[in-house]
Amino acid sequence: KEKVEITKEQKALTKVIVEAYNRHQIPQDVAKKLLQDQYSVEENFLLLTEMATSQVQVIVEFTKSIPGFLSLDHEDQIALLKGSAVEAMFLRSAQVFSKKMPNGHNGILEERIRKSGISEEFITPMFNFYKSIIGLHMSLEEQALLTAITILTPDRPYVKDHQAVEKLQEPMLDVLRKVCVLQHPQEPQYFARLLGRLTELRTLTHYHAEMLTSWRMNDHKFTPLLCEIWDVQ
Ligand SMILES: O=C(NC1CCCCC1)[C@H]([C@@H]1CCCCO1)n1c(-c2ccc(Cl)cc2)nc2cc(F)c(Cl)cc21
């Protein structure tokens, strides 16, 4: 049985990523808000666009803390952020949803989201993804590293220097694999399952534009930043 050892450099890398990840804490507000009050379809849509807009800004700060990211070609930096923003938003939503809350609160939260205005057809695939994330019981390190790995995906549209992105993503994958082995010794396939969630995440983000434009109300207003990042308007 191979003895897994995390090197000094890998510990330092993980610390940088987790600290940057901890700095982006807006999502807790949205859960608290949704638990506090029942909102109308319009208010829910506004809450989503406000939260998503501020999360894009937070993700940019998180990504800038990833060692080496700022030395990438500037257009590639934009391509990576644009290409991963929706995935990062759904991944973050799933992580917020998976937080253990006082009993009964998770049920209320699920109910509020189901009735928030999302079209019926998208509710099942979205919650299937959320529940598959819950089932993984991801640690904070795993969440932070998985988010960084998602952003540093070399095959995003318009990325020119694939190699340079791979060189940044690989060390993250290496340390995530070791963290998974150390934190889930009884599940040898845990790392593979974790990466498998990224495939499910891509299918979910495939119809994000339709999820938004089919929100059960008329006249969907988006912020300029979301028009940039989401394929809407
Ligand atoms: O605001 C949301 N998510 C933010 C986005 C930025 C990062 C932090 C979380 C939305 C809510 C949905 C209800 C109405 C208000 O918006 N949301 C989504 C969601 C996201 C995209 C679409 Cl198209 C549909 C639903 N899934 C969520 C799971 C959750 F646990 C919670 Cl608390 C909220 C969640």
Side-chain angles (χ1 to χ4, degrees), residues 108-123:
I108 298 170
L109 186 60
E110 174 160 352
E111 200 45 38
R112 294 267 159 91
I113 294 165
R114 281 182 182 280
K115 297 205 166 3
S116 61
I118 308 170
S119 291
E120 207 49 44
E121 67 201 285
F122 302 119
I123 290 178

Side-chain angles (χ1 to χ4, degrees), residues 3-66:
K3 178 86 192 71
V4 166
E5 191 86 359
I6 292 193
T7 66
K8 222 170 21 30
E9 294 79 19
Q10 289 180 321
K11 267 199 191 85
L13 175 64
T14 306
K15 190 165 173 292
V16 162
I17 299 296
V18 169
E19 271 163 10
Y21 185 74
N22 275 335
R23 278 199 294 275
H24 86 340
Q25 277 313 323
I26 40 125
Q28 301 320 328
D29 323 352
V30 61
K32 245 200 315 283
K33 278 191 171 189
L34 286 174
L35 286 165
Q36 250 158 13
D37 296 318
Q38 202 123 358
Y39 293 104
S40 72
V41 171
E42 288 75 12
E43 286 163 335
N44 275 317
F45 188 80
L46 184 63
L47 180 61
L48 166 59
T49 52
E50 283 168 355
M51 286 294 163
T53 300
S54 61
Q55 200 234 356
V56 170
Q57 289 147 350
V58 156
I59 279 284
V60 169
E61 288 319 304
F62 169 69
T63 309
K64 283 161 67 177
S65 322
I66 298 176

Side-chain angles (χ1 to χ4, degrees), residues 80-100:
L80 291 176
L81 283 164
K82 258 179 86 68
S84 63
V86 175
E87 286 178 26
M89 187 238 341
F90 276 119
L91 188 55
R92 192 67 186 128
S93 295
Q95 288 160 350
V96 172
F97 189 72
S98 64
K99 280 206 176 336
K100 195 78 199 87

